[in-house]
Amino acid sequence: MDLKLNNLTGKAQVSLRHAIEYMKEKITELTGSTSITIMEIASYIQNQPETNRVDKELLGTQYSFYYLKKEDATYHLEMKNTQILQVDVHVKNHDIVSYRSYRDHSKLTIPIKIPDTLIPE
C-alpha cells in the first residue's frame, strides 16, 4: 500500500512540476520575464480571440465572465464593470494563479513571480 501511495505522490509531483514549467513558459512569452501581474493576465484573457465572454446584468450592475482554454491552460476572469473580481489559471488541473479581489485587492499590480518549483524534489 505504501508503495502505491509513494508512486501516486511521485506522479502528482512530476505533473505539478510540468504544470509550473508550462505556466512559466507562457508568462515569459507574454512579458519577457517569469513574472506577471493580475492586470496583465486579465488583459491577456480579454484580448484572446478564443475567449468566451458572457455578460450579465445583476441588480443593475454589469458583470462579465470570461473563459479561455488554450493548450493545457484554463483561464477564468470575472469582472464587475471594469473591476477585476476574480482570476484563476489552471494548468493540468493545478491552480497556478488564484486571485480574489475581496482577499487580494492590494496585489492587483504587484508582479507574481512563478517559482522554479513549488515542491521539493
Side-chain angles (χ1 to χ4, degrees), residues 1-117:
M1 183 68 172
D2 285 339
L3 182 58
K4 287 183 181 181
L5 186 58
N6 287 341
N7 285 341
L8 184 59
T9 302
K11 287 179 183 179
Q13 289 175 338
V14 168
S15 180
L16 182 57
R17 273 194 279 285
H18 288 300
I20 292 166
E21 285 303 312
Y22 175 81
M23 189 63 195
K24 284 178 69 174
E25 288 174 21
K26 293 300 166 190
I27 288 172
T28 303
E29 283 178 25
L30 283 172
T31 66
S33 71
T34 58
S35 62
I36 191 167
T37 66
I38 294 299
M39 293 180 77
E40 288 172 324
I41 295 172
S43 177
Y44 172 76
I45 295 168
Q46 290 174 311
N47 294 310
Q48 294 303 301
E50 304 94 344
T51 298
N52 293 317
R53 176 181 174 172
V54 175
D55 292 318
K56 293 184 180 181
E57 186 173 322
L58 304 168
L59 299 172
T61 303
Q62 185 68 34
Y63 291 88
S64 299
F65 303 89
Y66 299 83
Y67 173 78
L68 172 64
K69 175 106 173 118
K70 196 164 187 174
E71 298 173 25
D72 288 337
T74 303
Y75 304 84
H76 295 276
L77 169 63
E78 294 182 14
M79 297 184 72
K80 177 175 132 183
N81 296 319
T82 59
Q83 177 189 6
I84 298 170
L85 298 177
Q86 177 176 329
V87 175
D88 290 306
V89 179
H90 306 281
V91 177
K92 297 182 181 179
N93 297 323
H94 296 284
D95 294 335
I96 303 300
V97 174
S98 177
Y99 169 83
R100 304 292 184 269
S101 62
Y102 63 85
R103 141 189 107 201
D104 306 318
H105 65 279
S106 64
K107 299 178 182 176
L108 197 57
T109 58
I110 297 173
I112 303 167
K113 179 152 176 62
I114 304 298
D116 291 330
T117 184

